[in-house]
Amino acid sequence: MGHLLRRRKIIMSNTSLSGLVLAAGRGTRMKSDLPKVLHELCGVPMVELVARAMRGAGVEDLAIVVGFGGEKVQSRLGGQYAYVWQHEQHGSGHAVQMAMEWLEGRTGSVIISAGDTPLLGVETFEQLVLAHTTSGARCTVASSIMEDPSGYGRIVRDESGAVIKIVEHKDCTPHQIAIHEINVALYCVEAEDLRRHLPNLKNDNVQKEYYFTDVIEMIASEGGQVFGEIFSDPAVTVGINDRWQLAQADAELRSRVLKRHALNGVTLRNLNSIAIGMDVEIGPETIIEPGTILLGNTKIGSHTVIGPNSVLQDAVVGDHCNIRMSQIVEATIGNHVYVGPFANIRPKTVISDKAKVGNFVELKNTLLGPGAKTPHLSYIGDAVVGPNSNIGAGTITCNYDGFSKHRTVIGANAFVGSNSTLVAPLTIGDEAMTAAGSVITKDVSAGSMAFGRARQETKEGLATEWRKVKIAEKQ
Ligand code: UD1
Ligand code: CA
């Protein structure tokens, strides 16, 4: 802990630390219309994971270089970051060159990271800055030892161990290709050096690209010390270039997220079948049953059971609830609420404390009051159901006339008979009742009983007579 605090302090005290995330590349091997950096891990685009980790390490002043699909990146990430445009992609060095204006007048160190290395955590950035500060180097390069280094740039060191350059796989000599220490594409460089060297980059290499890595060689060749900080866990530093790497990194991150919840007191049953987004919050003593997917900004209280086989997205669920085999999207659920099995809770629904929603019930934009019940087979939309009211099986709110939506307002302690058809706009008063099978088209005042069906007629003996006739016909 002391170690961590010391590290934080070093970073925080370095006030002139800024960050640049390179995210303009197309990512051809993803075979996708979506820019590579917008592909998600645990519900968060990979470029945002990188940016968040940098922020977490104390880098407040941060810009993202966008290009391919840049509008999509900007609209997805929003105004929380500054953006630099690289309209044509001529390599990572060219990308940093586009940030020249952003670099103007800047002092201190700049962390440069690729937007396609999403498993870099806060600790990774802290370690990089710590290495940079303590080594006193001009520039620090993050590296990793890979069993299979193919595709990566190789770190070339001199006899003393100092980094002298980085050579791309395609430009390697046979001797260099045997090097297992690879470039993670994470650097800590002085702003001043960037301004000085960036204009001198050349694209005289196999890929005819402007490589950012050449800046490292320029710094080293003018006598600046380049420190290579080796990160021991290659899983953390992996760059995502195709969807198999994406799937594997997603699994790694998912497992980290699940572990965090488990250590916070959440029971996870059948780990491999549970997916929980990065930003989901869950209280202690809650049980997540198999086949459960929790997405977006879902927040779940304590002593609640979710699942099996439930999907919650941007949902808020209180304490002591039971959510069984159901889907809940953008809805808020109080405490001691039972939902399911097989309920579909749609946006803008609020289910108050101690309410119950049973099987095959769909709720949309509906406020279910405290203790209210919709136990079976109903569609309740654009409605308010008062406290402790009971909605009988098969009740439908006819909220849509083909042109606009209308509201149904039901008071407290009302009783809506089974198979009622409530034609909105409609108000049913407190303690009112509707007879089973009614089509209710007019408001029902408090305490009234409404019948909206034909009166029953019983013809004594008619069934017996009818049978006789039928049997006679057959003979
Ligand atoms: C880069 C490094 C390589 C390293 C590897 C680690 C260079 C020259 N090479 O190679 O040494 O081992 O990452 O994963 O930097 N980008 C732009 N604009 C461009 C080109 C790239 O913004 O014109 C961004 C990409 O969006 C990506 C990052 O830079 O986030 C890396 O680019 P990529 O093309 O994936 O580089 P690699 O060939 O993987
Ligand atoms: Ca890459």
Side-chain angles (χ1 to χ4, degrees):
M1 193 61 198
H3 180 57
L4 260 182
L5 280 178
R6 198 169 67 245
R7 282 201 335 211
R8 276 258 152 70
K9 212 168 151 204
I10 288 169
I11 292 171
M12 299 312 286
S13 66
N14 190 342
T15 47
S16 50
L17 187 63
S18 45
L20 198 59
V21 182
L22 309 185
R26 172 193 275 271
T28 318
R29 280 172 282 171
M30 295 297 279
K31 302 189 176 151
S32 177
D33 296 333
L34 196 67
K36 174 165 81 173
V37 295
L38 280 190
H39 281 266
E40 295 176 0
L41 289 86
C42 290
V44 181
M46 56 174 113
V47 60
E48 187 162 6
L49 288 169
V50 174
R52 280 191 196 184
M54 262 202 209
R55 280 254 164 99
V59 184
E60 286 300 328
D61 186 2
L62 202 154
I64 299 176
V65 181
V66 293
F68 179 78
E71 306 82 10
K72 285 185 187 163
V73 177
Q74 253 179 301
S75 76
R76 177 70 202 265
L77 270 55
Q80 52 182 329
Y81 306 107
Y83 298 93
V84 168
W85 274 88
Q86 183 197 20
H87 292 286
E88 283 176 29
Q89 288 76 54
H90 298 298
S92 55
H94 182 249
V96 184
Q97 280 176 336
M98 298 301 107
M100 261 312 215
E101 212 173 291
W102 180 78
L103 282 166
E104 211 174 288
R106 210 164 274 274
T107 53
S109 313
V110 182
I111 296 182
I112 298 177
S113 176
D116 64 353
T117 46
L119 295 182
L120 300 180
V122 171
E123 322 74 47
T124 322
F125 289 104
E126 287 180 341
Q127 188 180 334
L128 179 80
V129 176
L130 183 71
H132 186 66
T133 320
T134 50
S135 69
R138 189 88 199 163
C139 163
T140 301
V141 174
S143 75
S144 177
I145 311 295
M146 292 259 182
E147 205 172 306
D148 175 14
S150 48
Y152 288 98
R154 307 297 205 278
I155 305 284
V156 181
R157 294 179 185 255
D158 66 12
E159 319 75 55
S160 75
V163 175
I164 50 173
K165 61 179 169 184
I166 298 170
V167 184
E168 287 309 290
H169 181 98
K170 289 179 180 157
D171 300 302
C172 277
T173 64
H175 178 71
Q176 289 163 340
I177 217 152
I179 298 173
H180 284 261
E181 184 179 6
I182 62 100
N183 173 29
V184 169
L186 170 61
Y187 322 88
C188 191
V189 198
E190 298 311 300
E192 182 198 326
D193 288 342
L194 287 175
R195 278 197 298 272
R196 200 151 35 86
H197 293 303
L198 281 172
N200 305 325
L201 284 176
K202 298 204 167 53
N203 66 347
D204 52 356
N205 50 56
V206 173
Q207 302 188 82
K208 296 279 167 282
E209 281 186 4
Y210 296 90
Y211 292 161
F212 177 72
T213 43
D214 289 349
V215 168
I216 308 305
E217 188 177 358
M218 291 174 183
I219 294 170
S221 63
E222 65 173 17
Q225 190 205 342
V226 178
F227 188 76
E229 170 77 354
I230 302 174
F231 286 79
S232 53
D233 185 0
V236 169
T237 52
V238 70
I240 308 299
N241 294 309
D242 58 44
R243 294 206 209 204
W244 180 233
Q245 289 171 325
L246 178 72
Q248 287 174 306
D250 178 58
E252 164 67 25
L253 190 63
R254 184 157 48 100
S255 136
R256 284 193 213 164
V257 170
L258 293 176
K259 184 176 176 185
R260 166 160 58 87
H261 289 294
L263 296 180
N264 281 346
V266 177
T267 296
L268 304 171
R269 297 216 169 108
N270 192 354
L271 260 197
N272 291 336
S273 73
I274 299 173
I276 301 183
M278 276 290 279
D279 300 326
V280 171
E281 294 171 20
I282 310 174
E285 304 283 14
T286 280
I287 298 173
I288 308 297
E289 298 278 14
T292 295
I293 301 174
L294 307 175
L295 304 168
N297 288 315
T298 293
K299 291 184 175 53
I300 295 165
S302 57
H303 299 272
T304 279
V305 180
I306 313 274
N309 303 329
S310 296
V311 178
L312 277 67
Q313 185 189 324
D314 297 311
V316 177
V317 178
D319 303 334
H320 298 280
C321 291
N322 253 290
I323 312 292
R324 302 289 192 175
M325 292 185 266
S326 292
Q327 171 163 300
I328 303 176
V329 178
E330 292 167 37
T332 302
I333 294 174
N335 304 315
H336 298 277
V337 171
Y338 196 103
V339 173
F342 310 112
N344 181 13
I345 312 298
R346 295 171 52 201
K348 296 193 195 154
T349 291
V350 176
I351 304 176
S352 309
D353 294 353
K354 297 187 178 161
K356 181 181 190 304
V357 177
N359 44 219
F360 307 109
V361 171
E362 175 180 349
L363 300 183
K364 187 214 78 175
N365 185 28
T366 283
L367 167 61
L368 208 56
K373 292 186 179 70
T374 55
H376 345 258
L377 300 156
S378 289
Y379 168 61
I380 312 293
D382 302 309
V384 175
V385 178
N388 300 314
S389 285
N390 187 88
I391 308 295
T395 294
I396 302 292
T397 52
C398 304
N399 61 325
Y400 186 48
D401 59 14
F403 295 92
S404 29
K405 303 281 169 68
H406 302 283
R407 281 167 64 75
T408 301
V409 178
I410 300 170
N413 300 305
F415 186 94
V416 173
S418 295
N419 227 29
S420 289
T421 300
L422 307 178
V423 182
L426 187 70
T427 301
I428 295 176
D430 295 346
E431 303 193 359
M433 296 177 111
T434 69
S438 290
V439 177
I440 304 291
T441 56
K442 294 187 212 111
D443 290 354
V444 182
S445 54
S448 301
M449 167 107 64
F451 294 84
R453 64 183 188 214
R455 186 177 292 276
Q456 178 175 331
E457 252 183 82
T458 306
K459 313 262 187 190
E460 271 175 41
L462 185 57
T464 315
E465 243 173 70
W466 190 80
R467 277 176 215 276
K468 274 185 197 156
V469 170
K470 286 292 170 192
I471 291 164
E473 275 174 11
K474 267 197 175 172
Q475 281 163 353

